[in-house]
Amino acid sequence: MSKKRLQIVVWMLIGAVTVLTAQNKSLVNTSQSPYAKLTGVNMGDVHWTKGFWADRFEVCRNSMSPKLLKTYMDPKLGHAIQNFQIAAGQDTGRFVGPSFQDGDFYKEFESLVSLYAQTGDKKLDQLMDEIIPVIVKAQRADGYLHTPTIIAQRNNPKEAGAFADRLNFETYNMGHLMTAACLHYRVTGKRTLLDAAIKAADFLYDFYKKASPELARNAICPSHYMGVVEMYRTTRDPKYLELSKSLIDIRGMMKEGTDDNQDRVPFRQQTKAMGHAVRANYLYAGVADVFAETGDTSLLRPLNLIWNNMVDTKMYITGGCGALYDGVSPYGTSYNPVEIQKTHQSFGRDYQLPNMTAYNETCANIGNLLFNWRMLQITGDAKYADVVELVLYNSLLSGVSLDGVDFCYTNPLSQSTNFPYKMRWMGGRIPYIALSNCCPPNTTRTVSEVQDYAYNLSKEGLWVNLYGGNEINTTLENGEKIQVVQTTDYPWEGAVSLELKKAPKKAFALFVRIPGWCKGASLTVNGKEEQTNMASSSYVKLERKWKAGDKVELNLPMEAKLMEANPLVEESRNQVAVKRGPVVYCMEGVDLPGSNIFGVTLPSDIKFAPKPIEIDGAKLAALEGKAFVENTGDWSNTLYREVSPLKKEVTVRLIPYFAWGNRGQGDMTVWMNLLRK
């Protein structure tokens, strides 16, 4: 046996033993990552009890996930399971769907895993057991698994080859397979899907050992960066960590790299968020995973610079990412028109944030969450938790209807029925986005997993990241059990109660997050006010010997605030958005009949009062206040005219941005005119 073959066998044996003894079952397993400060609690340790996220979880469980799975099982619509059956030789026919359909099906499968972790529903376990053999049967003996290519080769061996098309999404699909397989193993202890993922990861390892930089550039939308690292964390096979580092090293080595795919220059030389927003955020999340394992500071520097550039100049107030449908890279271009690089579904220039034509693909927004979650694990810095929360309450939930049936591909911040041209993806939700259905399963898996973002663990104790009615039963890193019940009507109210039902014998720290949006927070322990720094965007450390019955009560003042953009954001200059707590609000035409919402002007001293409302069975808090409406008149065949005077004072109603479009098509805007007083 050759030395290389012997090394691979040893790696496999090490991985197999570790897999069988792995303990941590968190969503992103940084429990053994030497350069991560935090790790997640086990999937299934946190359960929503009452309130906002409990309601959203039930919609996901009863509507969102099962109906989307039905779509993927439908041979006349999603055709996803049929693609695997045809690739497996269990049926005949041609591949149907976009080239990333396999990966989208894996994301929907991941939502089943999370729902099972939460509910223990045996029917879900049985359903997954029925799906897995079809996936496994479709895999080639060498580990390659991409049904478009396998089906094409089955029908005509000369028709297509692996990695022949840069836009074929092979590694994207296999990356989502790896992630889903790791989580399925952690939750169920079953290895069948994990073994398939191991074969796929081994295939990629061998492929990248031999591939030229030009061939390796086929890594479009790099979900496999996260997937490969999670495979390492699950199996402890060192070759997967080796592969993850190599994937970064080879970026920027090809001759025809582009800013659109973040491979024009080596990653370590990048300083700004650029190009396709989904691919970018997936890349940044994957690189953060590699840093957590290696501590390579040459990776952390660009991650920090890119994060600053994104948050300070390119992220929407909703946490949305990707301002442009199509554009031109401001980085890899010259004055020679032949050399100008086009971008697609991309970040724009600094401060280029259009509202009505905002792209903000739901997957890009979720990628923003994935990136910030990993940065939080590395650092424990609350600024990353702020972005996670911002996305969850705004640009994630805006991608799905309140009843969980219909989905958005893009998430604009304004919509007008008078808009003069049709974009490729207009605002509004539909059950199945035929050519780009990547967002619905991504939304579904994320909503099913929100509870797994609520808490973290460290050597010091328990970290509280998100607020919502829930109960956590988990084990601290010192091996002691803890049980905490959280009671709150967040995000509609700022009062949060944390009661210890079971406390460890030893002293430990409870880290309570003060959101970046909050000023004037206060906190008591057993009724006694804590005299400590309650700075916005920080964690308050409460260290002591706790006992059952101890109660922490947090008060987060939650008044509605007018938010303005940097003056360099041209489209929002002299306008304001309204934010209350973590929730961004918008105005819809249905709430101001007979008036043009784009003529509404909010006085700077407006006082908003929260009002309970219900839309499609969802209980929400609207905001009502007194504003003015311009007499806009008729703009037909008119480009410029004299300013119209303000009309009479009216009562305006705003609803959470994520709830827009659930009462029929109509006008909507997040940014409104400002009258300074």
Side-chain angles (χ1 to χ4, degrees):
M1 183 181 294
S2 68
K3 182 178 180 181
K4 180 179 179 182
R5 179 63 180 168
L6 179 61
Q7 185 182 39
I8 292 174
V9 170
V10 171
W11 281 347
M12 291 176 65
L13 290 174
I14 293 173
V17 171
T18 308
V19 165
L20 291 173
T21 59
Q23 297 296 317
N24 187 276
K25 300 177 182 179
S26 58
L27 190 65
V28 176
N29 182 8
T30 55
S31 61
Q32 298 182 60
S33 303
Y35 299 95
K37 183 173 183 177
L38 307 179
T39 192
V41 300
N42 290 340
M43 296 178 70
D45 281 2
V46 182
H47 295 273
W48 301 117
T49 53
K50 183 180 180 182
F52 184 87
W53 285 114
D55 293 343
R56 292 300 91 204
F57 181 85
E58 286 304 308
V59 169
C60 184
R61 176 186 181 184
N62 297 322
S63 177
M64 198 184 304
S65 186
K67 290 185 178 180
L68 186 59
L69 181 64
K70 185 178 180 181
T71 295
Y72 279 125
M73 295 291 197
D74 187 338
K76 296 181 180 180
L77 195 58
H79 201 268
I81 194 67
Q82 287 76 22
N83 288 334
F84 285 100
Q85 291 169 337
I86 296 169
Q90 298 174 340
D91 200 352
T92 58
R94 303 189 68 82
F95 175 85
V96 176
S99 56
F100 41 82
Q101 185 89 316
D102 292 2
D104 296 340
F105 186 70
Y106 298 141
K107 285 184 282 189
E108 168 58 21
F109 183 91
E110 186 179 323
S111 79
L112 301 181
V113 175
S114 181
L115 292 172
Y116 176 67
Q118 285 295 298
T119 65
D121 187 341
K122 294 182 180 179
K123 291 182 180 179
L124 288 173
D125 191 31
Q126 181 181 354
L127 177 59
M128 292 188 290
D129 284 347
E130 293 171 357
I131 291 172
I132 290 172
V134 182
I135 296 174
V136 171
K137 183 70 174 177
Q139 189 172 34
R140 284 192 333 203
D142 64 355
Y144 180 82
L145 181 51
H146 179 64
T147 64
T149 300
I150 294 174
I151 292 173
Q153 291 177 332
R154 181 177 288 276
N155 292 333
N156 183 354
K158 298 181 180 180
E159 184 173 326
F163 297 100
D165 183 351
R166 184 180 187 183
L167 299 178
N168 217 11
F169 287 89
E170 285 124 310
T171 52
Y172 167 88
N173 289 341
M174 285 188 271
H176 280 298
L177 167 65
M178 294 174 201
T179 301
C182 288
L183 296 186
H184 181 261
Y185 169 75
R186 290 172 193 167
V187 170
T188 68
K190 300 177 183 179
R191 286 195 52 135
T192 305
L193 190 63
L194 180 62
D195 288 338
I198 289 172
K199 290 176 63 178
D202 289 347
F203 173 85
L204 288 183
Y205 177 82
D206 292 336
F207 167 76
Y208 279 105
K209 277 289 187 182
K210 304 171 185 175
S212 65
E214 285 70 26
L215 188 58
R217 73 181 181 178
N218 288 302
I220 206 80
C221 204
S223 69
H224 62 304
Y225 282 47
M226 291 178 280
V228 166
V229 175
E230 217 57 49
M231 289 294 294
Y232 167 70
R233 291 167 173 165
T234 303
T235 67
R236 307 309 295 177
D237 190 330
K239 71 171 180 284
Y240 299 146
L241 183 58
E242 177 191 343
L243 173 59
S244 72
K245 293 187 287 186
S246 175
L247 290 171
I248 298 172
D249 293 339
I250 63 175
R251 292 192 76 88
M253 293 177 61
M254 63 283 298
K255 298 178 182 178
E256 299 178 359
T258 66
D259 287 322
D260 194 41
N261 198 44
Q262 300 82 37
D263 58 7
R264 181 179 60 85
V265 297
F267 178 80
R268 291 172 175 84
Q269 297 176 21
Q270 296 181 22
T271 61
K272 295 194 173 188
M274 65 180 74
H276 194 292
V278 181
R279 300 173 196 168
N281 283 335
Y282 273 33
L283 169 64
Y284 307 149
V287 174
D289 272 333
V290 176
F291 173 81
E293 303 304 325
T294 65
D296 184 347
T297 55
S298 69
L299 299 179
L300 188 60
R301 180 180 181 274
L303 286 175
N304 286 331
L305 293 173
I306 288 167
W307 189 89
N308 289 337
N309 176 249
M310 183 193 305
V311 173
D312 293 345
T313 73
K314 293 176 179 171
M315 187 177 75
Y316 281 88
I317 194 169
T318 60
C321 292
L324 306 179
Y325 275 72
D326 299 290
V328 174
S329 170
Y331 308 117
T333 61
S334 72
Y335 288 103
N336 181 354
V338 176
E339 297 176 2
I340 290 176
Q341 292 185 2
K342 296 180 180 179
T343 58
H344 179 51
Q345 304 177 6
S346 66
F347 291 104
R349 293 174 171 83
D350 292 0
Y351 304 106
Q352 187 178 14
L353 295 168
N355 294 316
M356 202 166 288
T357 61
Y359 191 78
N360 283 350
E361 182 182 338
T362 306
C363 281
N365 308 337
I366 292 171
N368 193 19
L369 182 155
L370 298 176
F371 174 30
N372 278 274
W373 177 248
R374 284 157 174 78
M375 295 300 287
L376 176 63
Q377 306 312 289
I378 291 169
T379 65
D381 192 326
K383 69 181 183 181
Y384 301 115
D386 286 341
V387 179
V388 169
E389 180 181 67
L390 182 69
V391 172
L392 286 174
Y393 281 108
N394 298 287
S395 53
L396 164 69
L397 289 181
S398 62
V400 60
S401 60
L402 293 173
D403 61 8
V405 174
D406 297 326
F407 299 87
C408 278
Y409 186 68
T410 62
N411 297 272
L413 275 74
S414 182
Q415 177 172 284
S416 172
T417 53
N418 293 323
F419 199 62
Y421 64 89
K422 184 177 181 179
M423 293 178 290
R424 289 193 299 279
W425 290 282
M426 297 297 289
R429 303 179 184 87
I430 56 177
Y432 183 67
I433 308 166
L435 297 178
S436 299
N437 205 55
C438 52
C439 297
N442 219 359
T443 302
T444 301
R445 70 160 178 161
T446 306
V447 174
S448 72
E449 294 168 347
V450 174
Q451 64 280 345
D452 299 306
Y453 295 103
Y455 297 92
N456 269 126
L457 298 172
S458 73
K459 293 180 180 179
E460 295 178 276
L462 180 69
W463 298 61
V464 186
N465 303 319
L466 301 176
Y467 299 114
N470 67 63
E471 181 175 329
I472 176 172
N473 287 274
T474 196
T475 304
L476 297 178
E477 290 196 5
N478 64 9
E480 292 197 82
K481 302 289 185 181
I482 183 174
Q483 179 183 1
V484 179
V485 172
Q486 184 179 153
T487 306
T488 180
D489 197 23
Y490 196 92
W492 314 128
E493 300 294 339
V496 180
S497 172
L498 300 163
E499 183 176 358
L500 277 77
K501 295 294 185 180
K502 181 184 296 183
K505 295 179 181 178
K506 298 179 181 178
F508 74 96
L510 186 65
F511 293 84
V512 180
R513 174 173 158 262
I514 309 300
W517 57 260
C518 180
K519 295 179 181 179
S522 60
L523 184 150
T524 65
V525 177
N526 296 331
K528 182 179 179 181
E529 185 170 357
E530 287 289 307
Q531 301 298 323
T532 185
N533 184 11
M534 303 289 288
S536 302
S537 194
S538 69
Y539 284 92
V540 174
K541 182 179 180 181
L542 305 171
E543 187 171 15
R544 65 198 64 199
K545 191 175 186 303
W546 300 86
K547 63 182 183 302
D550 283 346
K551 183 179 291 187
V552 175
E553 293 182 296
L554 178 65
N555 181 49
L556 304 171
M558 193 177 280
E559 67 263 15
K561 298 177 181 178
L562 299 185
M563 310 293 293
E564 62 180 347
N566 187 302
L568 292 174
V569 182
E570 187 174 0
E571 290 209 22
S572 301
R573 192 181 299 150
N574 297 322
Q575 293 183 309
V576 290
V578 178
K579 190 177 180 186
R580 183 172 183 266
V583 178
V584 175
Y585 279 75
C586 71
M587 183 179 297
E588 284 196 294
V590 67
D591 289 317
L592 199 64
S595 297
N596 184 349
I597 64 170
F598 300 108
V600 170
T601 299
L602 303 183
S604 57
D605 60 355
I606 188 171
K607 300 298 181 183
F608 281 109
K611 301 288 184 181
I613 62 169
E614 189 170 308
I615 301 177
D616 264 5
K619 296 180 180 180
L620 314 171
L623 297 176
E624 292 185 358
K626 296 290 186 180
F628 301 96
V629 179
E630 296 176 9
N631 185 11
T632 55
D634 184 10
W635 276 94
S636 300
N637 302 316
T638 302
L639 183 58
Y640 305 106
R641 74 179 188 198
E642 293 182 17
V643 173
S644 300
L646 287 177
K647 201 179 178 182
K648 62 181 181 180
E649 187 179 61
V650 295
T651 298
V652 295
R653 169 182 284 183
L654 278 60
I655 66 167
Y657 167 73
F658 69 78
W660 82 275
N662 282 273
R663 298 174 290 178
Q665 291 293 316
D667 293 349
M668 179 276 292
T669 186
V670 168
W671 292 94
M672 289 156 278
N673 303 324
L674 173 66
L675 175 63
R676 295 185 184 273
K677 286 191 172 182

